[in-house]
Every structure is written in structure tokens, then in C-alpha cells.
Amino acid sequence: QVQLVESGGGLAQPGESLKLSCVASGFAFENYWMYWVRQTPEKGLEWVSRLNINGDDPHYLDSVKGRFTTSRSNANNTLYLQMNSLKSDDAAIYYCAKGTPGSSAMDFWGQGTLVTISS
């Protein structure tokens, strides 16, 4: 069955960095666009990034451009999100999600990893 398992969340101070990972199984990872999405009580669900199959055409939420970088290892079935210069607004539960072929929708989500920002 499809599984997405995120890790790497934790507590960071403003300005610090964290790297999230998402290990995929149960489907042909290399054939799907992948997403990072975050959730907070205040903003709800917020799309953070999208990455194409080859990993050479990432797209980002405006507020994370220049600070976050998404990448993937198709050999290791893993999606990454490098988060630098973290801000308090970045605190959220971060989910990776599997794209639906032929659309911008997402059809499977992981369980999420919590990122907390505190000085």
C-alpha cells in the first residue's frame, strides 16, 4: 500500500535551519510529482512546494522562496525540504503528498512532522 513517512521536524530558533525528509513506498515514486504542504490552526492548509518528476523544476509558496529548497532522490524514493532562515510563521505540521497524474491535485498524504519555531 502507499506510504509516505515524514521526518526531520523539531524545535528550531528563528534563523536556524531544518531538513525534512519523506520516504515513499508502495508506488512508483519516480513517476509522480510530489508536494510539501503545511497546516496551522490560523491558516489551515497551505501549499509550500511542488516538484516535478525529474526534480529540476521546483515551485514554491512566495513566502518561502529563497529560503526553502525541495529536492528528491528517485533512487532512494525520498523527497526533501531544506528549510533555511526559519521564521515564526513557518511553524506548522508539514506533510508530503503524492500528486495526482494529470492534475495539480494530491491524492495521498503522509502523517506529518511538526516544526516548532521558538526563541
Side-chain angles (χ1 to χ4, degrees):
Q1 70 278 21
V2 175
Q3 283 194 319
L4 295 171
V5 180
E6 301 95 335
S7 63
L11 175 64
Q13 295 186 351
E16 292 187 337
S17 298
L18 286 173
K19 186 173 184 177
L20 307 184
S21 299
C22 170
V23 177
S25 61
F27 66 102
F29 177 78
E30 67 274 14
N31 292 339
Y32 291 85
W33 288 29
M34 295 296 295
Y35 297 78
W36 287 101
V37 180
R38 64 189 182 187
Q39 183 178 32
T40 63
E42 298 79 17
K43 294 183 180 179
L45 287 170
E46 187 174 47
W47 173 90
V48 174
S49 67
R50 181 187 78 208
L51 188 60
N52 63 332
I53 291 171
N54 293 330
D56 60 359
D57 187 26
H59 291 259
Y60 300 97
L61 177 69
D62 282 348
S63 63
V64 308
K65 284 180 181 176
R67 300 188 298 119
F68 288 14
T69 302
T70 187
S71 60
R72 65 193 295 163
S73 169
N74 288 341
N76 295 318
N77 289 348
T78 304
L79 178 72
Y80 302 101
L81 185 67
Q82 176 68 47
M83 305 187 296
N84 298 331
S85 302
L86 283 163
K87 303 177 180 180
S88 57
D89 285 351
D90 297 321
I93 301 173
Y94 283 74
Y95 300 91
C96 71
K98 170 181 168 286
T100 302
S103 80
S104 59
M106 293 161 258
D107 57 20
F108 193 88
W109 301 59
Q111 84 290 345
T113 186
L114 178 64
V115 172
T116 304
I117 310 296
S118 176
S119 55

